[in-house]
Amino acid sequence: MNGSRPTIEDVARVAGVSRATASRVLNDAPGASEVLRRRVTQAIADLGYRPNETARALASGRQRTVDLIAVIDNPDLALGAHPYYSRVLAGVVAALETVNVQLRVQVVAEHDTARRIDTIAADLTAGAILANAAPDLATQLHQRSRKVVSIVPTAPSVPAVEADNAGGAHAAVRHLHALGRRRIAAIHGPDLNTCAIARRAGHRRAVKAFKLPDISTAGGFTREGGHAAALRLLDEHPDIDAMFVACDLMAAGAIQAITATGRRVPHDVSVIGFDDNVVAICTNPLLTTMRLPTEEMATAATRMLLTGTITPGHRERFTVELVERDSASPVG
Amino acid sequence: MNGSRPTIEDVARVAGVSRATASRVLNDAPGASEVLRRRVTQAIADLGYRPNETARALASGRQRTVDLIAVIDNPDLALGAHPYYSRVLAGVVAALETVNVQLRVQVVAEHDTARRIDTIAADLTAGAILANAAPDLATQLHQRSRKVVSIVPTAPSVPAVEADNAGGAHAAVRHLHALGRRRIAAIHGPDLNTCAIARRAGHRRAVKAFKLPDISTAGGFTREGGHAAALRLLDEHPDIDAMFVACDLMAAGAIQAITATGRRVPHDVSVIGFDDNVVAICTNPLLTTMRLPTEEMATAATRMLLTGTITPGHRERFTVELVERDSASPVG
DNA sequence: CTGAAAGCGCTAACAA
DNA sequence: TTGTTAGCGCTTTCAG
């Protein structure tokens, strides 16, 4: 203990072996006798030695960190406010638990992507998980490094894990229809958001299939947006008896708005959300919603990066299932 | 472009200078003429050169990453479900925005801390933000590296940013009292959680000060816990007219439980939460709550690490303020 | 099986 | 101002 921490050199000296041998036992690499192995292990314990990961990475050129790139389009409902990113984080962490790989988080504002894209691409090692990156950004990153996988619908060339957003939206409307609801309105997400686009498409398909009136508006994936949208909808179409809302946060706002107009949820107006994050269990009544398997998707994406099983255009699909709680009920 | 990416060596060669000079302009270090500076800059652009951060870190010994250590005590309401960590993340990221420092996230299960503590301590560079680490873990990490700061109440020796949890709890009860509420119950957090302990203390102080009956129970900082606790409370003390709930997630559950018994919030039973995270705007009615300035605290903690202004026992304090929404109202 | 030696890409004395 | 020369701590040939 002369101030700075022990290096592999110290370990080697104490164990009376060469640095190479010390390195071998450190990495469980073959080519070291049981005797020396024990001596080195002992020395490591005695010195309290921990390898310097930076030096390791430099020397081996190995890739020991996964990047989570969180693109923030709306600074207000950024990381702090949105439960989505925590779920992604949880999924990534789960995949990293057993392997010795670090997680680095990079948050980049949408307007700032151009400036940072090269640096980000250059710094990637094991690869990057793209959360909420627009197709063009994803494409650019993919071109620069190959080692990226998006967890939202993205450009055709970019590897991705995708949830069946369209199918989920369709199933939501179908469920509402099966409950006897016929005046089903929809609150969609942002026009350019790929998830929102897919959900919108699924909704439209269902509206056609069930010959429903298309009463739609958009709410920007925020609580406030959902609240305002619901109010608008109710004002223009007082006879609405159900709402399909493209995310839980908006659904929370919608429920508040609906009850504020004196209507009861689910009796007068049933609502189904989308995501199934923590918000869904905090609304009153509890939110019936379509479960987006975010953690599982993030885990899968991370595994893809780790195993290197990504090829341009690669797709892994996840289903979106209905989670019945209390915000949707049969008519009457 | 011969396959691998350009190194500073390549830049130097193309610019016709030494590696040292290239390094100087790269780091905006003094000691390079304007002429060479331009040549190097040009070469960097031509080659699309990006410095290898790993090599940089190794050579300079500089500390370029901040660790966020998230301790998870309950795997169920882990990262994915709890809005707290996203707020912390947002705060840390905000402090890192301008400086060239990376954020690494390490999630460690409470039962696993013993096994990982040495590795974590050894890997620290700029330092670590301790989110939700118990006092003994914090102490151990602090002993091993000095460069840690907790963002929850912790052991006396560990540097920390602390919110006035006790004051906040006291203020919550005072507010309820000022509204004319006299049968104020409390739903506390986990017995061993330091935040919960402080809030409990503040509540107890207020109960004494206002000569209120002490009707308390615990809910474990989960929605389910809050729900069950509220039901229990209402069953045993049907005349309760207000609840102080130690976190928003539990408050959401409490509101659901209260309305499920046929009582109205805030009219019959007013409730005040604690945190002011996304959950507070998703309940119905909107939750009146005590704002824990999590982002600001995380930002402050990160700055402390970056500037090195941490000494054992250092404390930076934050106030907790009432955010009035719709879940608490005057009696009558 | 073991060790000597050559780097990984960069920074930072130290000379010139 | 510029370049030369050592390393940072580790991995990994390559001989022995």
Side-chain angles (χ1 to χ4, degrees), chain A residues 261-276:
Chain A
T261 66
R263 295 172 172 85
R264 288 161 303 170
V265 176
H267 188 268
D268 301 324
V269 180
S270 280
V271 358
I272 293 194
F274 209 111
D275 276 346
D276 195 29

PDB file of all heavy atoms in Angstrom, chain A residues 261-276:
ATOM      1  N   THR A 261     -65.698  15.986 -16.567  1.00  0.00           N
ATOM      2  CA  THR A 261     -66.925  16.399 -17.264  1.00  0.00           C
ATOM      3  C   THR A 261     -68.155  15.735 -16.643  1.00  0.00           C
ATOM      4  O   THR A 261     -69.255  15.837 -17.178  1.00  0.00           O
ATOM      5  CB  THR A 261     -66.890  16.014 -18.763  1.00  0.00           C
ATOM      6  OG1 THR A 261     -66.890  14.583 -18.862  1.00  0.00           O
ATOM      7  CG2 THR A 261     -65.676  16.586 -19.465  1.00  0.00           C
ATOM      8  N   GLY A 262     -67.937  15.023 -15.550  1.00  0.00           N
ATOM      9  CA  GLY A 262     -69.069  14.399 -14.883  1.00  0.00           C
ATOM     10  C   GLY A 262     -69.364  12.991 -15.378  1.00  0.00           C
ATOM     11  O   GLY A 262     -70.267  12.322 -14.891  1.00  0.00           O
ATOM     12  N   ARG A 263     -68.593  12.526 -16.333  1.00  0.00           N
ATOM     13  CA  ARG A 263     -68.804  11.158 -16.828  1.00  0.00           C
ATOM     14  C   ARG A 263     -68.038  10.172 -15.959  1.00  0.00           C
ATOM     15  O   ARG A 263     -67.036  10.529 -15.334  1.00  0.00           O
ATOM     16  CB  ARG A 263     -68.329  11.043 -18.278  1.00  0.00           C
ATOM     17  CG  ARG A 263     -69.145  11.890 -19.263  1.00  0.00           C
ATOM     18  CD  ARG A 263     -68.455  11.855 -20.614  1.00  0.00           C
ATOM     19  NE  ARG A 263     -69.232  12.465 -21.683  1.00  0.00           N
ATOM     20  CZ  ARG A 263     -69.234  13.775 -21.947  1.00  0.00           C
ATOM     21  NH1 ARG A 263     -68.537  14.603 -21.202  1.00  0.00           N
ATOM     22  NH2 ARG A 263     -69.952  14.243 -22.955  1.00  0.00           N
ATOM     23  N   ARG A 264     -68.483   8.941 -15.942  1.00  0.00           N
ATOM     24  CA  ARG A 264     -67.788   7.924 -15.152  1.00  0.00           C
ATOM     25  C   ARG A 264     -66.962   7.001 -16.050  1.00  0.00           C
ATOM     26  O   ARG A 264     -67.400   6.614 -17.128  1.00  0.00           O
ATOM     27  CB  ARG A 264     -68.805   7.085 -14.378  1.00  0.00           C
ATOM     28  CG  ARG A 264     -69.469   7.830 -13.216  1.00  0.00           C
ATOM     29  CD  ARG A 264     -70.748   7.138 -12.810  1.00  0.00           C
ATOM     30  NE  ARG A 264     -71.663   7.045 -13.964  1.00  0.00           N
ATOM     31  CZ  ARG A 264     -72.786   6.320 -13.989  1.00  0.00           C
ATOM     32  NH1 ARG A 264     -73.147   5.620 -12.935  1.00  0.00           N
ATOM     33  NH2 ARG A 264     -73.542   6.299 -15.073  1.00  0.00           N
ATOM     34  N   VAL A 265     -65.780   6.678 -15.552  1.00  0.00           N
ATOM     35  CA  VAL A 265     -64.925   5.701 -16.226  1.00  0.00           C
ATOM     36  C   VAL A 265     -64.970   4.454 -15.359  1.00  0.00           C
ATOM     37  O   VAL A 265     -64.775   4.554 -14.139  1.00  0.00           O
ATOM     38  CB  VAL A 265     -63.460   6.195 -16.297  1.00  0.00           C
ATOM     39  CG1 VAL A 265     -62.563   5.123 -16.926  1.00  0.00           C
ATOM     40  CG2 VAL A 265     -63.361   7.518 -17.069  1.00  0.00           C
ATOM     41  N   PRO A 266     -65.259   3.299 -15.874  1.00  0.00           N
ATOM     42  CA  PRO A 266     -65.418   2.947 -17.287  1.00  0.00           C
ATOM     43  C   PRO A 266     -66.866   2.974 -17.772  1.00  0.00           C
ATOM     44  O   PRO A 266     -67.103   2.829 -18.955  1.00  0.00           O
ATOM     45  CB  PRO A 266     -64.922   1.493 -17.295  1.00  0.00           C
ATOM     46  CG  PRO A 266     -65.371   0.961 -15.970  1.00  0.00           C
ATOM     47  CD  PRO A 266     -65.243   2.111 -15.010  1.00  0.00           C
ATOM     48  N   HIS A 267     -67.809   3.178 -16.853  1.00  0.00           N
ATOM     49  CA  HIS A 267     -69.215   3.037 -17.219  1.00  0.00           C
ATOM     50  C   HIS A 267     -69.637   3.880 -18.431  1.00  0.00           C
ATOM     51  O   HIS A 267     -70.118   3.352 -19.446  1.00  0.00           O
ATOM     52  CB  HIS A 267     -70.103   3.355 -16.014  1.00  0.00           C
ATOM     53  CG  HIS A 267     -71.532   3.048 -16.245  1.00  0.00           C
ATOM     54  ND1 HIS A 267     -72.423   3.975 -16.728  1.00  0.00           N
ATOM     55  CD2 HIS A 267     -72.231   1.893 -16.092  1.00  0.00           C
ATOM     56  CE1 HIS A 267     -73.608   3.417 -16.856  1.00  0.00           C
ATOM     57  NE2 HIS A 267     -73.524   2.157 -16.470  1.00  0.00           N
ATOM     58  N   ASP A 268     -69.481   5.190 -18.303  1.00  0.00           N
ATOM     59  CA  ASP A 268     -69.916   6.063 -19.406  1.00  0.00           C
ATOM     60  C   ASP A 268     -68.914   6.056 -20.563  1.00  0.00           C
ATOM     61  O   ASP A 268     -69.285   5.973 -21.727  1.00  0.00           O
ATOM     62  CB  ASP A 268     -70.100   7.493 -18.901  1.00  0.00           C
ATOM     63  CG  ASP A 268     -71.119   7.572 -17.774  1.00  0.00           C
ATOM     64  OD1 ASP A 268     -72.106   6.801 -17.828  1.00  0.00           O
ATOM     65  OD2 ASP A 268     -70.921   8.362 -16.838  1.00  0.00           O
ATOM     66  N   VAL A 269     -67.669   6.180 -20.183  1.00  0.00           N
ATOM     67  CA  VAL A 269     -66.611   6.152 -21.199  1.00  0.00           C
ATOM     68  C   VAL A 269     -65.538   5.177 -20.737  1.00  0.00           C
ATOM     69  O   VAL A 269     -64.954   5.353 -19.666  1.00  0.00           O
ATOM     70  CB  VAL A 269     -65.973   7.553 -21.391  1.00  0.00           C
ATOM     71  CG1 VAL A 269     -64.888   7.491 -22.458  1.00  0.00           C
ATOM     72  CG2 VAL A 269     -67.039   8.586 -21.763  1.00  0.00           C
ATOM     73  N   SER A 270     -65.278   4.153 -21.525  1.00  0.00           N
ATOM     74  CA  SER A 270     -64.212   3.208 -21.202  1.00  0.00           C
ATOM     75  C   SER A 270     -62.932   3.696 -21.862  1.00  0.00           C
ATOM     76  O   SER A 270     -62.975   4.291 -22.937  1.00  0.00           O
ATOM     77  CB  SER A 270     -64.565   1.818 -21.729  1.00  0.00           C
ATOM     78  OG  SER A 270     -65.470   1.178 -20.856  1.00  0.00           O
ATOM     79  N   VAL A 271     -61.799   3.470 -21.203  1.00  0.00           N
ATOM     80  CA  VAL A 271     -60.558   3.863 -21.867  1.00  0.00           C
ATOM     81  C   VAL A 271     -59.512   2.763 -21.783  1.00  0.00           C
ATOM     82  O   VAL A 271     -59.391   2.045 -20.797  1.00  0.00           O
ATOM     83  CB  VAL A 271     -60.024   5.262 -21.392  1.00  0.00           C
ATOM     84  CG1 VAL A 271     -60.922   5.924 -20.380  1.00  0.00           C
ATOM     85  CG2 VAL A 271     -58.600   5.203 -20.940  1.00  0.00           C
ATOM     86  N   ILE A 272     -58.777   2.646 -22.874  1.00  0.00           N
ATOM     87  CA  ILE A 272     -57.672   1.683 -22.931  1.00  0.00           C
ATOM     88  C   ILE A 272     -56.412   2.452 -23.294  1.00  0.00           C
ATOM     89  O   ILE A 272     -56.415   3.231 -24.245  1.00  0.00           O
ATOM     90  CB  ILE A 272     -57.919   0.596 -23.994  1.00  0.00           C
ATOM     91  CG1 ILE A 272     -59.105  -0.288 -23.582  1.00  0.00           C
ATOM     92  CG2 ILE A 272     -56.674  -0.263 -24.181  1.00  0.00           C
ATOM     93  CD1 ILE A 272     -59.217  -1.569 -24.370  1.00  0.00           C
ATOM     94  N   GLY A 273     -55.389   2.236 -22.533  1.00  0.00           N
ATOM     95  CA  GLY A 273     -54.114   2.909 -22.780  1.00  0.00           C
ATOM     96  C   GLY A 273     -53.148   2.037 -23.554  1.00  0.00           C
ATOM     97  O   GLY A 273     -53.539   1.020 -24.147  1.00  0.00           O
ATOM     98  N   PHE A 274     -51.890   2.427 -23.534  1.00  0.00           N
ATOM     99  CA  PHE A 274     -50.872   1.679 -24.270  1.00  0.00           C
ATOM    100  C   PHE A 274     -49.539   1.887 -23.565  1.00  0.00           C
ATOM    101  O   PHE A 274     -49.131   3.040 -23.360  1.00  0.00           O
ATOM    102  CB  PHE A 274     -50.775   2.208 -25.706  1.00  0.00           C
ATOM    103  CG  PHE A 274     -50.334   1.171 -26.707  1.00  0.00           C
ATOM    104  CD1 PHE A 274     -51.205   0.689 -27.673  1.00  0.00           C
ATOM    105  CD2 PHE A 274     -49.037   0.666 -26.681  1.00  0.00           C
ATOM    106  CE1 PHE A 274     -50.817  -0.275 -28.600  1.00  0.00           C
ATOM    107  CE2 PHE A 274     -48.630  -0.300 -27.598  1.00  0.00           C
ATOM    108  CZ  PHE A 274     -49.523  -0.770 -28.564  1.00  0.00           C
ATOM    109  N   ASP A 275     -48.899   0.823 -23.174  1.00  0.00           N
ATOM    110  CA  ASP A 275     -47.574   0.809 -22.543  1.00  0.00           C
ATOM    111  C   ASP A 275     -47.529  -0.147 -21.369  1.00  0.00           C
ATOM    112  O   ASP A 275     -46.659  -0.986 -21.287  1.00  0.00           O
ATOM    113  CB  ASP A 275     -47.132   2.190 -22.006  1.00  0.00           C
ATOM    114  CG  ASP A 275     -46.511   3.068 -23.064  1.00  0.00           C
ATOM    115  OD1 ASP A 275     -46.183   2.534 -24.131  1.00  0.00           O
ATOM    116  OD2 ASP A 275     -46.380   4.283 -22.828  1.00  0.00           O
ATOM    117  N   ASP A 276     -48.450   0.072 -20.442  1.00  0.00           N
ATOM    118  CA  ASP A 276     -48.432  -0.651 -19.172  1.00  0.00           C
ATOM    119  C   ASP A 276     -47.182  -0.339 -18.365  1.00  0.00           C
ATOM    120  O   ASP A 276     -46.455  -1.234 -17.979  1.00  0.00           O
ATOM    121  CB  ASP A 276     -48.559  -2.163 -19.386  1.00  0.00           C
ATOM    122  CG  ASP A 276     -48.904  -2.864 -18.076  1.00  0.00           C
ATOM    123  OD1 ASP A 276     -49.554  -2.238 -17.225  1.00  0.00           O
ATOM    124  OD2 ASP A 276     -48.496  -4.032 -17.904  1.00  0.00           O
TER     125      ASP A 276
END
